[in-house]
Amino acid sequence: MLRRGFQMAVILGHHGTLPGATHLLPRFNPASAFGSSTESLVSRFCQEMTKTKNYALPNASWGPDMLSLYHEFLEKTKTDGWVRVPSFRSNRDHIRGFKLPLELSANSDKSDWRLFTRCIEREGQGFEYVIFFQPSEKKSVCLFQPGPCLEGVPGFAHGGSLAALIDETFSKTACLSGEGLLTLNFNIRFKNLIPLGSLAVLNVNVEKIEDQKMYLSCVTQSRDQQTVYAKASGTFLQMQLEEESSQQ
């Protein structure tokens, strides 16, 4: 996603068009296929599906800190308007009934498609995380427990794994906040190492939306907020999803 986003940014910067397109990129219209409100986006994107595994639910590998903070935010979904964002094998499971713009269509065996941050199937070995989204404030919190398959410096999470998860949290937040679909820019500053198996909390905010772009920030820190692991920023391009003629 990052690579495609960078390519798109270069193309837009030089030509103002998408690859294969013969017209200028249409400006974002809030009254799009998803509807005119953040609530409409949330209701579409965050549907619970009984036949599809939701990786954002607790499992036996989650440590005490991960579990306790998860339940704190679960309570906020009942009282403060927060929404737990489900996490499926592929993003196509999130956007059922809609299709990507023609320029983003890909030819591939659908059975092979898998979200990068869900590529390690065994519980506790890779990316253990759950995202909670606050629609009225357009912000998210991601609880992240890195497993041993994400090791960089011995005993600590690889910086690339944190960058990938920040980008993923940016992506979900941007999409839910107004159809932000493509990463145009991503910057990160690492401050401290994250011990494997520990809890890191990603706090993401939408800073502003203008000129068909959405600007986000993230501070990743320990639960007690005493240790900052990284600070990041990103820019997303808004693009309208189209409603399919028949939902599957």
Side-chain angles (χ1 to χ4, degrees), residues 85-228:
V85 181
S87 182
F88 306 119
R89 177 187 175 103
S90 170
N91 274 328
R92 65 175 38 254
D93 294 313
H94 286 281
I95 57 175
R96 288 183 176 182
F98 288 87
K99 59 183 179 180
L100 293 171
L102 179 62
E103 297 82 1
L104 300 180
S105 61
N107 295 319
S108 174
D109 182 354
K110 297 178 182 179
S111 64
D112 293 336
W113 294 4
R114 193 180 186 97
L115 190 63
F116 176 68
T117 51
R118 295 303 184 191
C119 64
I120 300 174
E121 184 69 31
R122 187 177 173 187
E123 292 179 351
Q125 296 300 298
F127 292 90
E128 291 293 340
Y129 70 93
V130 56
I131 298 171
F132 288 90
F133 176 66
Q134 224 301 338
S136 62
E137 299 181 32
K138 290 183 171 56
K139 67 179 183 180
S140 293
V141 169
C142 175
L143 312 181
F144 174 39
Q145 179 182 292
C149 289
L150 302 184
E151 185 181 65
V153 174
F156 295 90
H158 193 291
S161 67
L162 177 58
L165 190 55
I166 292 176
D167 185 49
E168 173 61 15
T169 308
F170 275 168
S171 174
K172 293 295 187 288
T173 305
C175 187
L176 292 171
S177 297
E179 292 181 324
L181 295 181
L182 283 177
T183 310
L184 294 180
N185 179 276
F186 183 90
N187 296 288
I188 187 169
R189 290 177 290 162
F190 295 103
K191 301 288 188 177
N192 288 285
L193 298 173
I194 303 175
L196 293 172
S198 67
L199 173 65
V201 182
L202 285 62
N203 299 282
V204 169
N205 289 279
V206 174
E207 299 296 337
K208 64 178 179 178
I209 302 175
E210 63 180 22
D211 298 328
Q212 208 172 347
K213 295 177 183 177
M214 190 176 297
Y215 300 84
L216 300 96
S217 66
C218 175
V219 176
T220 303
Q221 56 193 1
S222 57
R223 179 177 181 176
D224 62 10
Q225 302 181 3
Q226 297 302 303
T227 304
V228 175

